[in-house]
Amino acid sequence: MSEYVKNLMVDVKAKNPAEPEFHQAVQEVADSLVLVLEKHPEYRSAKVLERIIEPERVIMFRVPWVDDQGEVQINRGFRIEMNSAIGPYKGGLRFHPSVNLGILKFLAFEQVFKNSLTTLPMGGGKGGSDFDPKGKSDAEVMRFCQSFMTELQRHIGPNTDVPAGDIGVGGREIGFMFGQYKKIKNEFTGVLTGKGRNWGGSLIRPEATGYGAVYFAKEMLTTRNETLEGKVCLVSGSGNVAQFTTEKVLDLGGKVVTLSDSQGYIYDEEGIDREKLAYVMDLKNVRRGRIKEYAEKYPNAVYTALDRNADHNPLWNHKADCAFPSATQNEINGKDAQNLVNNGVYVISEGANMPSDLDAVNIFIENKTLYGPGKAANAGGVAVSGLEMAQNSMRYSWTREEVDNRLAMIMKSIHETCVTTAEKYGTPGNYVNGANIGGFVKVADAMLDLGIV
Ligand code: NDP
Ligand code: 2IT
């Protein structure tokens, strides 16, 4: 059967050249699915995995806009509508200069399995642009978002495709895009999630990914009769996911000692308390500054600039118990993973999408760590997006407690699916197999029911 994966990967690479992140994501899932395809020849004969790998639709478009100097700028926009077997396409939009087709295809592919794990009826999609919001004025961001939505609106809808935020897309960007959609369509609908409180957003959606990643870690620790109380945690990133991961770790009695951005990281041995976290939230969300400023404000913290040519990231080389990678893909390589294990880290809950490369994943599994892969551990964000869609459909909103309880229940259920599925397929404790197979089966069965479409 690994012959099957080998041949599949030869085809995937030939058909999707120069998309290394997409190859990586498919490889990891295919390796797990060998276990289920052996038991279920019907999935193989209906070429279910081969069909899941091929996006149902890829939309790529020009996004022209005018900057504050009056100069014309041109970016590229994308939406990958990956799979709609179990619900409308659902997934975030990423605005970052590194965005390209392959990165969005890997993200859309991961989203299919993640959304299935949430138990909610959502298919998988992802989109975005190579637009860099850094250093842009609010007016420039607005003009870009409006131009982006002027094209995207003809492809999406509350029952077709429901985008949300991701890197570089937060409440501000969702607001500008929602405004433009509403104006063009003359319709107030739940076409985007992550909306503001006063215009259809759900309570807890901003917090959901970070909170969810910590709830997932809590569930993993429970299997060893442990809690987060007193645990030292490494967190990367300093955006939406990193901030609310830090908040929930504090709520549960743990201590976060690192945060980062694309230029460097801070190590604060005393821990990032609530006052310091409030400073970070203001720094990143309001002043849109750099994490380096944290070490200027709190001189006991050490700032280290990121060396892109180094063979490891020093953020992952500190004594700790837990790691919450919450920045971006492939931020942990094999060497980093080994450093984490050597430093005593045995809980890894991925807030980011595919932050660990394949070598790192293998090291975590070989060392029997509690390793929660992104498609399970960070599913809280899209899960609360699903709850936002439900509230929009009802024209009603739930309280903070109601949404938070549902989020905690969903994370518990995803954890349970991972554990029982991994056991059922003979690899107990392997959350990668549990998440990949658990997410796959529901989509695969739906695809069998729906025929060859
Ligand atoms: P934000 O834009 O709010 O924050 C991203 C953070 O990661 C910033 O600190 C950013 O630093 C850093 N970062 C981005 N790119 C790189 C890079 N190439 N190298 C190092 N650091 C980088 O995004 P989110 O917090 O929303 O997203 C973080 C991760 O979580 C992503 O992988 C995303 O896909 C994933 N995720 C997000 C969800 C959500 O609901 N928002 C849901 C599930 C997963 P800088 O400021 O320098 O760019
Ligand atoms: O990667 C992700 O799950 C997200 N960026 C959130 C997607 C969503 O639709 O809320």
Side-chain angles (χ1 to χ4, degrees):
M1 184 57 86
S2 62
E3 211 37 43
Y4 166 75
V5 174
K6 227 192 264 164
N7 292 335
L8 182 86
M9 289 313 300
V10 169
D11 279 355
V12 167
K13 288 176 185 170
K15 244 183 145 172
N16 306 275
E19 296 178 5
E21 293 86 1
F22 182 59
H23 306 161
Q24 180 185 337
V26 173
Q27 172 89 56
E28 189 217 90
V29 168
D31 282 337
S32 294
L33 293 186
V34 166
L35 299 166
V36 71
L37 295 174
E38 269 168 0
K39 284 195 183 173
H40 293 274
E42 69 275 21
Y43 293 145
R44 277 207 58 188
S45 58
K47 299 225 167 113
V48 172
L49 180 58
E50 290 82 345
R51 281 193 279 148
I52 291 181
I53 289 166
E54 194 63 30
E56 289 179 12
R57 192 177 297 109
V58 172
I59 302 148
M60 196 164 126
F61 50 98
R62 177 171 71 202
V63 189
W65 56 282
V66 180
D67 70 17
D68 287 348
Q69 284 69 48
E71 201 167 312
V72 176
Q73 301 285 342
I74 299 137
N75 285 100
R76 185 169 284 180
F78 302 87
R79 186 72 183 165
I80 318 296
E81 296 185 335
M82 201 73 188
N83 194 294
S84 61
I86 64 167
Y89 309 107
K90 181 84 197 87
L93 296 171
R94 177 177 291 191
F95 292 168
H96 193 273
S98 64
V99 161
N100 59 37
L101 184 61
I103 288 183
L104 294 180
K105 277 170 66 185
F106 115 65
L107 289 162
F109 179 76
E110 291 281 291
Q111 200 81 45
V112 173
F113 302 90
K114 184 196 302 191
N115 292 4
S116 164
L117 284 167
T118 65
T119 72
L120 302 174
M122 300 182 288
K126 199 87 185 189
S129 174
D130 58 0
F131 174 74
D132 186 358
K134 273 198 206 83
K136 303 289 190 299
S137 69
D138 284 352
E140 288 177 321
V141 170
M142 181 178 76
R143 289 196 293 275
F144 171 81
C145 288
Q146 290 176 339
S147 180
F148 183 83
M149 186 51 88
T150 299
E151 175 59 33
L152 188 66
Q153 55 86 22
R154 57 182 106 247
H155 308 289
I156 62 176
N159 297 309
T160 307
D161 184 353
V162 183
D166 192 79
I167 291 177
V169 178
R172 175 183 61 169
E173 291 75 17
I174 294 290
F176 293 148
M177 288 190 277
F178 186 72
Q180 184 75 349
Y181 182 91
K182 189 169 71 59
K183 182 178 168 104
I184 294 174
K185 297 274 195 179
N186 195 27
E187 249 179 27
F188 194 112
T189 63
V191 69
L192 294 168
T193 59
K195 298 186 292 302
R197 243 335 260 147
N198 297 330
W199 37 280
S202 174
L203 287 164
I204 299 286
R205 177 62 190 88
E207 294 88 340
T209 310
Y211 279 16
V214 180
Y215 292 151
F216 198 84
K218 173 176 169 246
E219 293 299 328
M220 292 198 291
L221 279 162
T222 304
T223 65
R224 296 191 186 172
N225 294 319
E226 291 184 46
T227 69
L228 270 158
E229 183 75 41
K231 297 281 188 296
V232 176
C233 303
L234 307 175
V235 176
S236 65
S238 50
N240 171 271
V241 179
Q243 292 169 17
F244 289 105
T245 293
T246 304
E247 182 166 290
K248 189 49 74 179
V249 167
L250 281 171
D251 288 349
L252 299 186
K255 176 162 110 169
V256 172
V257 292
T258 60
L259 284 174
S260 70
D261 62 24
S262 49
Q263 289 163 319
Y265 82 101
I266 55 104
Y267 176 70
D268 185 345
E269 196 174 1
E270 292 164 4
I272 297 160
D273 60 18
R274 284 181 202 279
E275 184 223 304
K276 294 171 179 172
L277 177 59
Y279 169 80
V280 171
M281 288 183 173
D282 180 65
L283 173 71
K284 299 302 289 186
N285 310 344
V286 182
R287 294 192 284 127
R288 300 190 187 267
R290 312 305 303 155
I291 202 66
K292 186 179 184 185
E293 295 167 52
Y294 180 102
E296 290 155 17
K297 168 94 176 158
Y298 303 106
N300 285 343
V302 180
Y303 175 76
T304 308
L306 193 71
D307 174 3
R308 291 203 177 274
N309 297 318
D311 64 350
H312 72 289
N313 180 346
L315 188 157
W316 305 121
N317 202 8
H318 292 279
K319 284 255 162 300
D321 305 295
C322 311
F324 293 91
S326 310
T328 192
Q329 64 275 0
N330 291 329
E331 53 171 317
I332 300 180
N333 63 22
K335 181 137 199 224
D336 296 317
Q338 196 56 56
N339 284 339
L340 283 165
V341 170
N342 294 347
N343 276 294
V345 171
Y346 64 103
V347 179
I348 303 99
S349 186
E350 295 185 336
N353 285 304
M354 207 170 74
S356 306
D357 74 10
L358 291 171
D359 290 343
V361 172
N362 288 334
I363 288 168
F364 292 144
I365 292 173
E366 278 161 21
N367 283 278
K368 307 237 172 303
T369 60
L370 294 167
Y371 168 61
K375 62 173 76 67
N378 72 38
V382 74
V384 174
S385 278
L387 301 179
E388 183 169 326
M389 289 166 72
Q391 293 169 82
N392 290 165
S393 296
M394 288 188 290
R395 299 198 187 288
Y396 188 70
S397 56
W398 291 320
T399 62
R400 214 182 146 80
E401 291 67 37
E402 171 94 44
V403 181
D404 197 22
N405 286 339
R406 285 178 192 263
L407 169 63
M409 263 164 44
I410 290 172
M411 296 316 295
K412 204 176 161 73
S413 140
I414 296 172
H415 179 268
E416 184 69 23
T417 299
C418 290
V419 168
T420 53
T421 308
E423 254 165 32
K424 181 172 167 194
Y425 287 92
T427 57
N430 184 327
Y431 288 83
V432 174
N433 287 342
N436 288 336
I437 299 173
F440 171 80
V441 168
K442 184 173 163 191
V443 176
D445 287 343
M447 287 175 72
L448 291 183
D449 291 345
L450 300 182
I452 311 296
V453 288

